[in-house]
Amino acid sequence: MSINEQSESVRPTTAAPLRGLSTVNLYADDVAAAQRWYTEFLGVEPYFFNPPQPAPPIYVEFRLGELQHELGIVDRRFAPSAGEDAAVTGDGSAAAAQPITYWHVDDVEAVLARLLELGAAPHQPVIERGPGFVTASVVDPFGNVLGIMFNRHFLDMVGGGVV
C-alpha cells in the first residue's frame, strides 16, 4: 500500500489523528550491544533485523505486549541531527525537550530496580502522578531515556487484569 492509499480495513474509527503507538525508536552507537542489553531486559529476541543476520545490525525491532507495540533500536548515525537540522519552533527558537515514552509495567519499583541492576542510570525517581498512575525513568547505557509507568487506563484497555 502506498503512503497515499488506505484500505477500508485501516480507515480511522475516530476523528483523532493519533490512533496509537506505532514504533518507538531508540538510538545506539553499537546496535548489537543495545540488542543484547534489551534482549536481557525484555526477555524476548528482536523479530526484525536490518540488514538480515548474520550481518552487523543497523536496526533491530522488538514487538512488545498485548498490542505488539514496536521498539526499534537504530544506529545513531541515522538519528536526527542536533546541528543545523535540529527542530525549531515557529519563531526560530530551539524546540522543547524531547518527550519521554512511558511503557506500562505492573510493578514500577521492581522494573526500575531491574533496569538499574542492568546498568541504566536514574533519570526520574518513582513518582505517584495520581491514583493509578506511577512513573519513573532511566537513561539506558546507550543514552536513551526509557520511561516506565503503571497506568490504570492501560489495564482497563487491555481487559483490566494484571498483564
Side-chain angles (χ1 to χ4, degrees):
M1 173 183 325
S2 78
I3 197 166
N4 294 318
E5 295 175 351
Q6 239 182 6
S7 72
E8 288 297 318
S9 66
V10 295
R11 292 210 187 275
T13 57
T14 69
L18 299 178
R19 296 183 55 203
L21 183 62
S22 178
T23 303
V24 173
N25 284 334
L26 303 178
Y27 298 93
D29 292 321
D30 184 341
V31 174
Q35 172 192 332
R36 289 187 299 273
W37 192 87
Y38 273 92
T39 297
E40 171 76 15
F41 169 60
L42 298 169
V44 297
E45 295 282 339
Y47 79 98
F48 179 81
F49 300 84
N50 183 23
Q53 291 183 307
I58 59 170
Y59 179 77
V60 298
E61 195 168 88
F62 297 85
R63 289 216 185 248
L64 306 173
E66 293 82 4
L67 302 177
Q68 295 293 286
H69 292 300
E70 296 174 355
L71 174 64
I73 300 173
V74 183
D75 188 304
R76 193 173 312 280
R77 294 175 295 170
F78 302 105
S81 171
E84 63 185 53
D85 296 339
V88 294
T89 63
D91 67 4
S93 61
Q98 294 300 306
I100 298 174
T101 301
Y102 290 94
W103 294 87
H104 176 84
V105 299
D106 292 324
D107 184 335
V108 172
E109 290 180 354
V111 174
L112 178 60
R114 177 69 175 141
L115 286 162
L116 296 173
E117 175 185 302
L118 289 171
H123 181 260
Q124 289 183 317
V126 174
I127 301 171
E128 184 165 343
R129 305 282 183 179
F133 301 94
V134 178
T135 67
S137 60
V138 299
V139 177
D140 73 15
F142 313 97
N144 301 288
V145 175
L146 178 66
I148 56 174
M149 177 181 207
F150 179 87
N151 181 330
R152 184 72 238 166
H153 290 168
F154 178 86
L155 291 177
D156 292 344
M157 184 184 69
V158 297
V162 174
V163 290

Coordinates of all heavy atoms in Angstrom, one line a residue, residues 1 5-14 19:
M1 N 0.8 -1.2 0.0 CA 0.0 0.0 0.0 C 0.9 1.2 0.0 O 1.8 1.3 0.8 CB -0.9 0.0 1.3 CG -1.7 1.2 1.5 SD -2.7 1.2 3.0 CE -3.2 -0.5 3.2
E5 N -2.5 5.6 -0.1 CA -3.6 4.7 -0.2 C -4.0 4.2 1.2 O -3.3 4.2 2.1 CB -3.2 3.4 -1.0 CG -2.8 3.7 -2.4 CD -2.3 2.4 -3.1 OE1 -2.1 1.4 -2.4 OE2 -2.1 2.5 -4.3
Q6 N -5.3 3.9 1.3 CA -5.9 3.4 2.6 C -6.9 2.4 2.2 O -7.9 2.7 1.5 CB -6.5 4.6 3.4 CG -5.9 4.7 4.7 CD -6.6 5.9 5.4 OE1 -7.6 6.4 5.0 NE2 -6.1 6.2 6.6
S7 N -6.8 1.2 2.7 CA -7.9 0.2 2.5 C -9.0 0.5 3.5 O -8.8 1.1 4.5 CB -7.3 -1.2 2.7 OG -7.1 -1.5 4.0
E8 N -10.1 -0.1 3.3 CA -11.3 0.1 4.2 C -10.9 -0.5 5.6 O -11.3 0.0 6.6 CB -12.5 -0.7 3.7 CG -13.1 0.0 2.5 CD -13.7 1.4 2.8 OE1 -14.3 1.5 3.9 OE2 -13.5 2.3 2.0
S9 N -10.0 -1.5 5.7 CA -9.7 -2.1 6.9 C -8.8 -1.2 7.8 O -8.7 -1.5 9.0 CB -9.0 -3.4 6.7 OG -7.8 -3.3 6.1
V10 N -8.2 -0.2 7.3 CA -7.4 0.7 8.1 C -7.9 2.1 8.2 O -7.2 3.0 8.7 CB -5.9 0.7 7.6 CG1 -5.3 -0.6 7.7 CG2 -5.8 1.3 6.2
R11 N -9.1 2.4 7.8 CA -9.7 3.7 7.9 C -9.9 4.0 9.4 O -10.3 3.1 10.2 CB -11.0 3.8 7.2 CG -10.8 3.7 5.7 CD -11.8 4.5 4.9 NE -11.7 4.3 3.5 CZ -10.9 5.0 2.7 NH1 -10.1 5.9 3.2 NH2 -10.8 4.7 1.4
P12 N -9.6 5.2 9.8 CA -9.8 5.6 11.2 C -11.2 5.4 11.7 O -12.2 5.6 10.9 CB -9.5 7.1 11.2 CG -8.7 7.3 10.0 CD -9.1 6.3 9.0
T13 N -11.3 4.9 13.0 CA -12.7 4.7 13.5 C -13.0 5.9 14.4 O -14.2 6.0 14.9 CB -12.7 3.4 14.4 OG1 -11.7 3.5 15.4 CG2 -12.5 2.2 13.6
T14 N -12.1 6.9 14.6 CA -12.4 8.1 15.3 C -11.8 9.2 14.5 O -11.0 9.0 13.6 CB -11.7 8.1 16.7 OG1 -10.3 8.1 16.5 CG2 -12.1 6.8 17.5
R19 N -3.8 7.6 16.4 CA -4.6 6.4 16.8 C -4.0 5.4 17.7 O -4.6 4.6 18.2 CB -5.0 5.7 15.5 CG -5.8 6.6 14.6 CD -6.3 5.9 13.3 NE -6.9 4.6 13.7 CZ -7.0 3.6 12.8 NH1 -6.5 3.7 11.7 NH2 -7.7 2.5 13.2

